[in-house]
Protein backbone atom coordinates (compact mmCIF):
# COMPACT_ATOMS: atom_id res chain seq x y z
CA UNK A 1 0.00 0.00 0.00
CA UNK A 2 1.42 3.37 -1.03
CA UNK A 3 1.61 6.49 1.13
CA UNK A 4 -1.57 8.41 1.87
CA UNK A 5 0.32 11.73 1.62
CA UNK A 6 3.36 12.67 -0.42
CA UNK A 7 4.87 16.15 -0.02
CA UNK A 8 7.56 17.02 -2.55
CA UNK A 9 9.80 20.12 -2.55
CA UNK A 10 7.38 22.23 -0.53
CA UNK A 11 8.42 25.88 -0.37
CA UNK A 12 6.34 28.46 1.49
CA UNK A 13 7.22 32.10 2.09
CA UNK A 14 5.55 35.16 3.63
CA UNK A 15 5.65 38.75 2.42
CA UNK A 16 6.40 41.11 5.32
CA UNK A 17 7.52 44.68 5.79
CA UNK A 18 10.97 43.39 6.76
CA UNK A 19 11.28 41.26 3.62
CA UNK A 20 10.26 37.82 2.39
CA UNK A 21 10.33 35.20 5.13
CA UNK A 22 11.35 31.85 3.62
CA UNK A 23 9.59 29.69 6.21
CA UNK A 24 9.76 26.34 4.37
CA UNK A 25 12.58 25.85 1.87
CA UNK A 26 12.11 22.54 0.07
CA UNK A 27 10.57 19.91 2.33
CA UNK A 28 9.81 16.40 1.05
CA UNK A 29 8.30 13.50 3.00
CA UNK A 30 5.57 10.85 2.97
CA UNK A 31 2.95 9.62 5.43
CA UNK A 32 1.87 5.99 5.22
CA UNK A 33 -1.62 4.66 5.84
CA UNK A 34 -2.21 4.29 9.59
CA UNK A 35 1.16 5.83 10.50
CA UNK A 36 1.82 8.42 13.20
CA UNK A 37 4.56 10.72 11.90
CA UNK A 38 6.17 13.23 14.24
CA UNK A 39 7.56 16.59 13.15
CA UNK A 40 9.79 18.15 15.79
CA UNK A 41 11.78 21.36 16.02
CA UNK A 42 12.12 24.70 17.77
CA UNK A 43 9.67 27.55 17.25
CA UNK A 44 10.29 29.04 13.82
CA UNK A 45 11.69 25.82 12.35
CA UNK A 46 8.89 25.61 9.78
CA UNK A 47 6.97 22.63 11.14
CA UNK A 48 3.60 24.39 11.63
CA UNK A 49 3.86 26.23 8.31
CA UNK A 50 4.50 22.87 6.64
CA UNK A 51 1.26 21.48 8.07
CA UNK A 52 -0.74 24.61 7.22
CA UNK A 53 0.58 24.53 3.65
CA UNK A 54 -0.87 21.05 3.09
CA UNK A 55 -4.41 22.45 3.30
CA UNK A 56 -3.48 26.03 2.32
CA UNK A 57 -4.64 27.36 5.68
CA UNK A 58 -2.37 30.37 5.29
CA UNK A 59 -2.78 34.17 5.41
CA UNK A 60 -3.00 36.23 2.25
CA UNK A 61 0.66 37.20 2.63
CA UNK A 62 1.74 33.56 2.14
CA UNK A 63 3.08 32.20 -1.13
CA UNK A 64 3.51 28.52 -1.97
CA UNK A 65 6.02 27.93 -4.79
CA UNK A 66 4.27 26.66 -7.94
CA UNK A 67 6.64 23.69 -8.21
CA UNK A 68 5.62 22.44 -4.75
CA UNK A 69 3.58 19.24 -4.75
CA UNK A 70 1.15 17.92 -2.10
CA UNK A 71 -0.32 14.60 -3.23
CA UNK A 72 -3.12 13.20 -1.05
CA UNK A 73 -4.63 9.83 -1.98
CA UNK A 74 -3.38 10.40 -5.53
CA UNK A 75 -4.94 13.88 -5.78
CA UNK A 76 -2.77 16.97 -6.21
CA UNK A 77 -4.06 19.38 -3.54
CA UNK A 78 -2.02 22.32 -4.81
CA UNK A 79 -4.05 22.34 -8.04
CA UNK A 80 -7.48 22.36 -6.37
CA UNK A 81 -9.67 25.44 -6.11
CA UNK A 82 -10.57 26.68 -2.64
CA UNK A 83 -14.09 25.30 -3.11
CA UNK A 84 -12.72 21.84 -3.95
CA UNK A 85 -10.28 22.07 -1.05
CA UNK A 86 -13.10 22.83 1.42
CA UNK A 87 -14.61 19.45 0.56
CA UNK A 88 -11.42 17.81 1.81
CA UNK A 89 -10.84 20.00 4.88
CA UNK A 90 -12.52 18.51 7.91
CA UNK A 91 -13.76 15.48 6.00
CA UNK A 92 -10.69 13.70 4.64
CA UNK A 93 -8.01 15.78 6.38
CA UNK A 94 -8.71 17.35 9.78
CA UNK A 95 -6.61 19.49 12.13
CA UNK A 96 -6.26 19.90 15.88
CA UNK A 97 -4.72 23.20 16.93
CA UNK A 98 -2.64 24.11 19.97
CA UNK A 99 -5.12 26.49 21.63
CA UNK A 100 -8.70 25.17 21.72
CA UNK A 101 -10.05 28.42 23.19
CA UNK A 102 -9.12 30.28 20.01
CA UNK A 103 -10.71 27.56 17.85
CA UNK A 104 -13.97 27.01 19.75
CA UNK A 105 -16.83 29.51 19.58
CA UNK A 106 -17.38 30.76 23.17
CA UNK A 107 -21.08 31.51 22.49
CA UNK A 108 -22.15 28.07 21.21
CA UNK A 109 -22.43 24.84 23.26
CA UNK A 110 -19.63 22.42 22.41
CA UNK A 111 -22.04 19.71 21.30
CA UNK A 112 -23.59 22.02 18.74
CA UNK A 113 -20.13 22.85 17.41
CA UNK A 114 -19.37 19.17 16.88
CA UNK A 115 -22.73 18.80 15.13
CA UNK A 116 -21.89 21.69 12.81
CA UNK A 117 -18.65 20.01 11.73
CA UNK A 118 -20.67 17.00 10.57
CA UNK A 119 -23.54 18.99 9.06
CA UNK A 120 -21.17 20.73 6.63
CA UNK A 121 -20.24 17.44 4.97
CA UNK A 122 -23.37 15.37 5.72
CA UNK A 123 -26.37 17.53 4.90
CA UNK A 124 -28.64 14.47 4.75
CA UNK A 125 -28.36 13.75 8.49
CA UNK A 126 -31.22 14.79 10.76
CA UNK A 127 -30.71 16.80 13.97
CA UNK A 128 -31.31 13.64 16.03
CA UNK A 129 -28.69 11.71 14.02
CA UNK A 130 -26.16 14.53 14.38
CA UNK A 131 -26.71 14.67 18.13
CA UNK A 132 -26.34 10.90 18.48
CA UNK A 133 -23.07 10.92 16.55
CA UNK A 134 -21.77 13.83 18.62
CA UNK A 135 -22.55 11.96 21.83
CA UNK A 136 -20.76 8.88 20.50
CA UNK A 137 -17.71 11.02 19.75
CA UNK A 138 -17.76 12.48 23.27
CA UNK A 139 -17.75 8.93 24.61
CA UNK A 140 -14.90 7.95 22.26
CA UNK A 141 -12.67 10.78 23.53
CA UNK A 142 -13.61 10.04 27.17
CA UNK A 143 -15.65 13.15 27.98
CA UNK A 144 -17.62 12.18 31.11
CA UNK A 145 -21.41 12.58 31.21
CA UNK A 146 -21.61 13.35 27.48
CA UNK A 147 -25.34 14.11 27.47
CA UNK A 148 -24.88 16.68 30.21
CA UNK A 149 -21.68 18.21 28.79
CA UNK A 150 -23.20 18.39 25.30
CA UNK A 151 -24.82 21.73 26.21
CA UNK A 152 -21.83 23.13 28.11
CA UNK A 153 -19.86 26.12 26.80
CA UNK A 154 -16.08 26.08 26.23
CA UNK A 155 -15.34 28.18 29.35
CA UNK A 156 -17.02 25.50 31.47
CA UNK A 157 -14.39 22.92 30.45
CA UNK A 158 -10.82 22.48 31.66
CA UNK A 159 -7.97 22.85 29.15
CA UNK A 160 -7.69 19.09 28.75
CA UNK A 161 -11.43 18.67 28.22
CA UNK A 162 -11.49 21.49 25.65
CA UNK A 163 -8.75 19.70 23.77
CA UNK A 164 -10.84 16.51 23.85
CA UNK A 165 -13.70 18.48 22.30
CA UNK A 166 -11.31 19.61 19.55
CA UNK A 167 -10.29 15.99 18.96
CA UNK A 168 -13.96 15.00 18.76
CA UNK A 169 -14.56 17.75 16.18
CA UNK A 170 -11.54 16.69 14.16
CA UNK A 171 -12.66 13.06 14.17
CA UNK A 172 -16.34 13.82 13.54
CA UNK A 173 -16.13 12.94 9.84
CA UNK A 174 -13.72 10.00 10.26
CA UNK A 175 -10.83 11.71 8.39
CA UNK A 176 -8.16 9.65 6.70
CA UNK A 177 -5.44 12.04 7.89
CA UNK A 178 -5.32 13.98 11.16
CA UNK A 179 -2.85 16.85 11.62
CA UNK A 180 -2.25 17.70 15.29
CA UNK A 181 -0.32 20.97 15.69
CA UNK A 182 1.16 20.96 19.22
CA UNK A 183 -2.17 19.93 20.81
CA UNK A 184 -0.67 19.15 24.23
CA UNK A 185 1.76 22.06 24.67
CA UNK A 186 -0.42 24.07 27.09
CA UNK A 187 -1.49 21.06 29.16
CA UNK A 188 0.09 19.65 32.32
CA UNK A 189 1.96 16.37 31.98
CA UNK A 190 -0.85 14.21 33.39
CA UNK A 191 -3.47 15.55 30.96
CA UNK A 192 -0.88 15.49 28.16
CA UNK A 193 -0.31 11.77 28.75
CA UNK A 194 -4.06 11.12 28.65
CA UNK A 195 -4.44 12.97 25.34
CA UNK A 196 -1.51 11.08 23.77
CA UNK A 197 -2.95 7.73 24.85
CA UNK A 198 -6.33 8.80 23.46
CA UNK A 199 -4.83 9.66 20.06
CA UNK A 200 -2.96 6.35 19.98
CA UNK A 201 -6.12 4.39 20.85
CA UNK A 202 -8.20 6.20 18.22
CA UNK A 203 -5.50 5.64 15.61
CA UNK A 204 -5.50 1.91 16.34
CA UNK A 205 -9.30 1.70 16.29
CA UNK A 206 -9.97 3.77 13.18
CA UNK A 207 -6.69 3.42 11.25
CA UNK A 208 -6.34 7.18 10.86
CA UNK A 209 -2.94 8.48 9.77
CA UNK A 210 -1.61 11.24 12.04
CA UNK A 211 0.96 14.01 11.64
CA UNK A 212 1.90 15.10 15.16
CA UNK A 213 3.78 18.41 15.43
CA UNK A 214 5.68 19.28 18.61
CA UNK A 215 8.89 20.75 19.98
CA UNK A 216 9.21 17.91 22.49
CA UNK A 217 11.12 14.77 21.49
CA UNK A 218 9.87 13.06 24.63
CA UNK A 219 6.29 13.34 23.36
CA UNK A 220 7.37 12.06 19.95
CA UNK A 221 8.99 9.01 21.55
CA UNK A 222 5.73 8.10 23.28
CA UNK A 223 3.42 8.48 20.29
CA UNK A 224 5.16 8.34 16.91
CA UNK A 225 6.72 5.59 14.82
CA UNK A 226 8.78 7.92 12.62
CA UNK A 227 10.03 11.48 13.04
CA UNK A 228 11.21 14.45 10.97
CA UNK A 229 13.57 16.89 12.69
CA UNK A 230 13.16 20.38 11.20
CA UNK A 231 15.32 23.48 11.49
CA UNK A 232 15.59 26.61 9.35
CA UNK A 233 12.73 25.52 7.08
CA UNK A 234 14.43 22.23 6.20
CA UNK A 235 14.34 18.61 7.32
CA UNK A 236 17.65 18.05 9.10
CA UNK A 237 17.05 14.38 9.86
CA UNK A 238 14.43 11.70 9.25
CA UNK A 239 14.35 8.30 10.94
CA UNK A 240 12.25 5.71 12.70
CA UNK A 241 11.82 6.81 16.32
CA UNK A 242 13.94 4.01 17.83
CA UNK A 243 16.66 4.62 15.25
CA UNK A 244 16.69 8.35 16.01
CA UNK A 245 17.22 7.81 19.73
CA UNK A 246 19.74 4.99 19.26
CA UNK A 247 21.68 6.58 16.41
CA UNK A 248 21.11 10.36 16.15
CA UNK A 249 22.97 11.62 13.10
CA UNK A 250 22.70 15.40 13.08
CA UNK A 251 24.22 17.87 15.58
CA UNK A 252 20.82 19.55 15.95
CA UNK A 253 19.20 16.23 16.89
CA UNK A 254 22.01 15.64 19.40
CA UNK A 255 21.25 19.05 20.92
CA UNK A 256 17.54 18.31 21.20
CA UNK A 257 18.17 14.92 22.80
CA UNK A 258 20.63 16.33 25.32
CA UNK A 259 18.02 18.89 26.42
CA UNK A 260 15.58 16.15 27.55
CA UNK A 261 15.84 15.83 31.36
CA UNK A 262 16.51 12.33 32.72
CA UNK A 263 14.18 10.80 35.28
CA UNK A 264 17.09 10.23 37.69
CA UNK A 265 18.65 13.65 37.07
CA UNK A 266 19.65 15.62 40.15
CA UNK A 267 17.38 18.61 40.77
CA UNK A 268 20.39 20.88 41.09
CA UNK A 269 21.71 19.97 37.64
CA UNK A 270 21.18 22.65 35.00
CA UNK A 271 19.31 21.52 31.91
CA UNK A 272 21.33 21.44 28.71
CA UNK A 273 20.44 23.95 25.99
CA UNK A 274 21.56 24.81 22.47
CA UNK A 275 23.39 28.15 22.51
CA UNK A 276 22.51 30.82 19.97
CA UNK A 277 19.30 31.67 18.15
CA UNK A 278 17.45 30.35 15.08
CA UNK A 279 18.39 32.00 11.77
CA UNK A 280 16.73 35.08 10.32
CA UNK A 281 14.56 33.53 7.61
CA UNK A 282 14.35 36.79 5.65
CA UNK A 283 18.05 36.14 4.97
CA UNK A 284 18.46 32.35 5.37
CA UNK A 285 22.05 31.08 5.55
CA UNK A 286 23.76 30.00 2.36
CA UNK A 287 24.95 26.79 3.96
CA UNK A 288 23.57 24.64 6.75
CA UNK A 289 21.16 26.77 8.82
CA UNK A 290 22.41 25.16 12.03
CA UNK A 291 26.10 25.91 11.33
CA UNK A 292 26.34 29.09 13.49
CA UNK A 293 25.13 27.10 16.54
CA UNK A 294 26.87 23.81 15.76
CA UNK A 295 29.88 22.82 17.91
CA UNK A 296 31.19 20.60 15.08
CA UNK A 297 30.81 23.03 12.16
CA UNK A 298 33.50 23.25 9.46
CA UNK A 299 34.10 26.02 6.93
CA UNK A 300 32.08 24.26 4.24
CA UNK A 301 29.04 24.12 6.55
CA UNK A 302 28.60 27.89 6.34
CA UNK A 303 29.15 28.01 2.57
CA UNK A 304 27.13 25.15 1.09
CA UNK A 305 23.97 23.28 1.99
CA UNK A 306 24.90 19.63 2.52
CA UNK A 307 23.18 16.83 0.59
CA UNK A 308 21.25 14.15 2.44
CA UNK A 309 23.34 11.20 3.57
CA UNK A 310 21.76 7.75 3.95
CA UNK A 311 22.51 6.60 7.50
CA UNK A 312 20.40 3.44 7.38
CA UNK A 313 17.16 2.14 5.98
CA UNK A 314 14.66 5.01 6.08
CA UNK A 315 17.21 7.15 7.92
CA UNK A 316 18.66 10.27 6.27
CA UNK A 317 20.51 13.29 7.61
CA UNK A 318 21.56 16.61 6.08
CA UNK A 319 25.08 17.01 7.48
CA UNK A 320 28.54 17.40 5.93
CA UNK A 321 30.04 15.31 8.76
CA UNK A 322 28.38 12.22 7.29
CA UNK A 323 30.06 12.52 3.90
CA UNK A 324 32.71 9.84 3.15
CA UNK A 325 35.56 12.38 2.97
CA UNK A 326 34.60 14.17 6.23
CA UNK A 327 37.51 14.42 8.71
CA UNK A 328 37.42 12.21 11.79
CA UNK A 329 38.65 14.82 14.28
CA UNK A 330 35.85 16.34 16.38
CA UNK A 331 33.29 14.39 14.34
CA UNK A 332 30.66 12.54 16.42
CA UNK A 333 29.42 10.63 13.36
CA UNK A 334 32.70 9.45 11.84
CA UNK A 335 32.27 5.81 12.86
CA UNK A 336 28.66 5.76 11.69
CA UNK A 337 29.59 7.44 8.43
CA UNK A 338 32.18 4.76 7.74
CA UNK A 339 29.73 1.87 8.18
Amino acid sequence: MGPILTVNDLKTSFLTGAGTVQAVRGVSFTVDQGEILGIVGESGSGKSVTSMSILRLLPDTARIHPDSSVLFQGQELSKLSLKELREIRGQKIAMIFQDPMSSLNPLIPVGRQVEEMMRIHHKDLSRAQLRQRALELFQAVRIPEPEKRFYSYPHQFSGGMRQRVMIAMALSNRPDLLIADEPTTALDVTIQDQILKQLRALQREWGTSIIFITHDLGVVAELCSRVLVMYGGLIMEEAAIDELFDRPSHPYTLGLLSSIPALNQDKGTRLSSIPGSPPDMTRPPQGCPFAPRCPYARQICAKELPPYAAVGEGHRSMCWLLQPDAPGENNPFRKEAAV
Side-chain angles (χ1 to χ4, degrees), residues 9 11 25-27 231-236 250 284-291 299-308 317-320 323:
D9 199 25
K11 298 175 183 175
R25 300 193 291 146
V27 165
Y231 185 83
L234 297 166
I235 295 173
M236 296 285 98
H250 195 282
Q286 184 177 356
C288 174
F290 189 61
Q299 288 186 354
I300 192 173
C301 299
K303 296 178 180 178
E304 296 181 37
L305 194 64
Y308 283 108
S317 177
M318 183 185 283
C319 184
W320 283 114
Q323 297 303 309

Side-chain angles (χ1 to χ4, degrees), residues 17 203 271:
Q203 180 269 334
L271 294 176

